[in-house]
Amino acid sequence: MSTRTESWLNQRWGKWVVPYAALWITLLIGGVVVVALALASAEVYDNVVDDAGVANLDKPMLASMEQLRSPALNSFVTGFTNIGGGIGMPILASILTALLIYTSRSWRPLILIGGAAAVSVTATAVGKKLIGRTRPDHADAVPPYENSPSFPSGHTLNTTVVIALVVYLVCLQVKRTLVRVAVIAAGTIFILGMGMSRVYLGHHWMTDVIFGWILGLAWVGIVILAHRLFHALRHREHAGPAPTFEHPAHLHEGADGGTPGGRAPAGGNDADTPGSAGRPSASG
């Protein structure tokens, strides 16, 4: 029984851990870096958001947003901002990740988006607990009111991470430039709109949102770097495409049309190159 279990574990290790080793390691190191950035942001925060900073940026921006409010617009923005909340964003992220998994025939969207979202949620919690900044007064906010610490904006940070990675993965699968431009534009508008909705509703200061964007984009950059490093290493090793639904393993098995030792046959496709039928093969 133990031999069978060991055999099963070794098989799974070779199929799913070894091919993704560079990805896991880079994401782990990057996650530590981002959480450290959240900790370091406390010092930066003290230097930027002093009395003058609040007077020159946060309060004027909140006042300008208050002038734009109307009952109809308040309802619309409240509905929109709920998409980026603790219930809406996990649902949206799950739907988008499932679609990417289905279209790419690969588990990599789950690894990238799921792992990145976990780190962004951690960075949000660390920043809020460490700094404990008070939100704008309820008198300046649109109900329902929020009472948790204000810095950084979790809606902004988590939306930036999830949507930016979705845009990145979609652009890997779609080859038409016009579609890529449309996806990038839609993602950018969504991210910017989510951040500004927090200021419009009076639930966050502008600096909370700005730091959310900065931390989110920094973490997205690290995740994309890990993904590109993963592909660079696989190209160097001639390992063929990463495990997919149809081909669960390509390393050290010589199966699925590969040559002994897990090397892909000449002309084999990688995750970011078009497939033989003129469409993208499984990509991350």
Side-chain angles (χ1 to χ4, degrees), residues 4 6 16 53 97 102 107 130 135-136 176 195 197 213 236 241 247-248 257 267 269 277:
R4 182 177 301 178
E6 291 176 2
W16 297 106
T97 302
Y102 177 77
W107 291 110
L130 181 67
R135 294 177 186 265
R176 294 183 60 185
S197 73
W213 282 329
R236 188 183 69 182
H247 303 286
N269 297 319

Side-chain angles (χ1 to χ4, degrees), residues 7-271:
S7 176
W8 183 86
L9 290 174
N10 289 333
Q11 184 182 32
R12 291 295 156 185
W13 177 272
K15 286 182 177 180
W16 297 106
V17 177
V18 173
Y20 290 103
L23 190 59
W24 290 119
I25 293 172
T26 309
L27 287 176
L28 178 61
I29 296 175
V32 173
V33 170
V34 168
V35 173
L37 284 175
L39 293 171
S41 66
E43 182 65 26
V44 177
Y45 172 87
D46 289 336
N47 294 329
V48 174
V49 191
D50 52 13
D51 292 338
V54 171
N56 293 330
L57 177 61
D58 285 339
K59 291 182 178 179
M61 181 61 70
L62 178 59
S64 66
M65 288 296 175
E66 288 183 273
Q67 296 177 2
L68 300 176
R69 292 175 185 169
S70 68
L73 189 56
N74 291 352
S75 298
F76 173 80
V77 175
T78 298
F80 174 72
T81 202
N82 287 338
I83 298 175
I87 297 177
M89 184 48 61
I91 293 175
L92 178 62
S94 298
I95 294 173
L96 294 176
T97 302
L99 289 174
L100 286 168
I101 290 173
Y102 177 77
T103 56
S104 68
R105 307 298 291 173
S106 168
W107 291 110
R108 214 170 314 157
L110 178 62
I111 296 174
L112 292 177
I113 298 176
V119 171
S120 69
V121 170
T122 301
T124 300
V126 168
K128 287 181 179 295
K129 184 176 182 180
L130 181 67
I131 297 173
R133 187 186 194 189
T134 303
R135 294 177 186 265
D137 292 337
H138 288 174
D140 298 320
V142 176
Y145 305 118
E146 300 180 21
N147 298 307
S148 60
S150 184
F151 182 93
S153 169
H155 284 65
T156 304
L157 174 55
N158 297 320
T159 296
T160 299
V161 170
V162 171
I163 299 302
L165 286 176
V166 167
V167 169
Y168 167 70
L169 292 172
V170 169
C171 287
L172 288 183
Q173 296 185 33
V174 177
K175 300 304 177 183
R176 294 183 60 185
T177 301
L178 184 60
V179 177
R180 286 181 170 180
V181 171
V183 170
I184 293 172
T188 301
I189 292 172
F190 191 93
I191 290 171
L192 293 176
M194 184 59 66
M196 294 310 299
S197 73
R198 308 304 292 160
V199 182
Y200 173 89
L201 295 172
H203 295 168
H204 279 286
W205 301 105
M206 190 66 211
T207 42
D208 302 335
V209 171
I210 291 174
F211 272 83
W213 282 329
I214 292 173
L215 285 175
L217 290 175
W219 177 221
V220 168
I222 292 173
V223 173
I224 292 176
L225 174 63
H227 190 215
R228 304 320 301 168
L229 176 61
F230 167 79
H231 281 294
L233 292 177
R234 292 192 66 80
H235 276 297
R236 188 183 69 182
E237 296 172 0
H238 308 289
T244 64
F245 293 160
E246 291 86 358
H247 303 286
H250 295 273
L251 294 179
H252 312 302
E253 291 187 1
D256 299 321
T259 57
R263 294 182 180 275
N269 297 319
D270 199 358

